[in-house]
Amino acid sequence: MNDLLQMILLAVVQGLTEFLPVSSSGHLVLAKHLLGFEAMSGLGVELLLHGGTLVAVLAYYRNFIVEVSVGLFRGTREAWRFAWAVLLSMIPAVVLGLLFEAQLEACAESPFFVCCALIFTGGLLLATRRFGRDAGRDVSPARGFLMGLAQAVAMLPGVSRSGSTIAMSRFLGVASDKAAAFSFLMVVPVIIGGNALHLFKAVHDHDASAFAGLTWPMGIVGFVVSAFVGYLSVAWMVRLLGCHSFWRFGFYCLAVGLGGLLCFAFGR
């Protein structure tokens, strides 16, 4: 399979799974191992694909972002409450990433670990069917911090970030629409900061392999496809939360995790 087609397929996987509760990192790891996409495993590819999904969520919530920004400028309580919640939600992921960066990268190299993490994600999603609820609550700074703890756990490849954060919001009784907006926007500063850090390290260490084999046409195509599919994925996820079908993805995660274990146990 040529590199451009590999890039398109990975961009579709990234765009679909970044916002659906099925773990984009887990699917990318499994796709590279099971489909042999080793040429598309560099840092440059990951930065481009994450950049595309970042644009997708910013585009979908553009009106909300403008509203919060205006509210911050005017000093409204609701806007500053949301901003504090986002700030507090970042702390667990930043701390975990700085302290355990090497261990997290090692986990990403283990398809077995990813499959087990997907099984954990499946169980978590199914638990929201029994213990989750929409009590119409706002995302307070305290609830934002708890959702941030869930986001930190999701730094493990195979644990869905949107799945864990929205599951936490369901356990806390946060309103579905507010949970979705916060879950998707709280990751924006984390993605920007993480990508900037990795890019800085690659440039500082003169790591040419990070962008080896990546051409401008491939990069543009991957970015655009990831952004387009990601936008559709956000819209779909918001609708699913509104009709309380979020938990059904648990069956999918269990199937992929168990299926992956069987594939690696008995060969491709």
Side-chain angles (χ1 to χ4, degrees):
M1 186 180 297
N2 65 59
D3 290 347
L4 182 58
L5 184 54
Q6 288 187 31
M7 174 65 83
I8 292 174
L9 289 177
L10 288 179
V12 171
V13 171
Q14 171 68 22
L16 278 175
T17 59
E18 177 67 28
F19 304 111
L20 296 180
V22 295
S23 178
S24 62
S25 62
H27 277 71
L28 288 176
V29 169
L30 294 181
K32 290 172 185 176
H33 281 81
L34 293 175
L35 301 177
F37 286 6
E38 297 304 324
M40 294 289 103
S41 59
L43 174 64
V45 173
E46 295 188 12
L47 292 178
L48 281 170
L49 297 185
H50 279 93
T53 51
L54 179 63
V55 168
V57 73
L58 292 176
Y60 187 85
Y61 283 106
R62 59 191 181 279
N63 293 332
F64 181 80
I65 293 172
V66 170
E67 180 182 341
V68 171
S69 300
V70 172
L72 291 174
F73 180 76
R74 293 178 177 176
T76 61
R77 181 176 181 274
E78 293 77 9
W80 279 101
R81 183 180 171 89
F82 183 86
W84 274 113
V86 171
L87 180 62
L88 290 174
S89 74
M90 295 169 53
I91 296 175
V94 171
V95 172
L96 185 65
L98 292 176
L99 293 180
F100 300 102
E101 180 181 6
Q103 290 85 345
L104 292 171
E105 291 179 353
C107 290
E109 298 299 322
S110 171
F112 176 81
F113 181 91
V114 169
C115 290
C116 292
L118 280 168
I119 294 173
F120 167 80
T121 297
L124 181 65
L125 297 180
L126 292 176
T128 63
R129 172 67 169 172
R130 176 67 177 82
F131 302 104
R133 67 194 189 285
D134 182 346
R137 295 172 180 166
D138 293 326
V139 181
S140 66
R143 296 187 187 106
F145 179 76
L146 291 175
M147 291 177 69
L149 289 176
Q151 178 172 248
V153 173
M155 294 180 70
L156 296 170
V159 178
S160 168
R161 194 206 63 81
S162 64
S164 60
T165 55
I166 294 177
M168 177 63 77
S169 75
R170 303 293 288 178
F171 298 145
L172 297 172
V174 177
S176 296
D177 57 338
K178 296 176 181 178
F182 188 79
S183 174
F184 294 145
L185 290 175
M186 68 187 283
V187 74
V188 170
V190 175
I191 290 179
I192 293 176
N195 286 355
L197 179 61
H198 284 105
L199 183 60
F200 173 79
K201 286 184 176 180
V203 174
H204 181 267
D205 297 337
H206 303 288
D207 185 7
S209 64
F211 301 92
L214 184 62
T215 64
W216 279 107
M218 287 170 53
I220 293 174
V221 169
F223 182 88
V224 171
V225 172
S226 177
F228 176 73
V229 177
Y231 187 93
L232 298 178
S233 179
V234 172
W236 186 26
M237 186 62 185
V238 171
R239 287 196 297 269
L240 288 174
L241 283 172
C243 61
H244 307 291
S245 298
F246 166 79
W247 62 275
R248 298 181 189 276
F249 282 98
F251 293 115
Y252 172 81
C253 291
L254 288 176
V256 174
L258 292 172
L261 289 178
L262 290 175
C263 287
F264 290 112
F266 298 102
R268 296 181 183 177

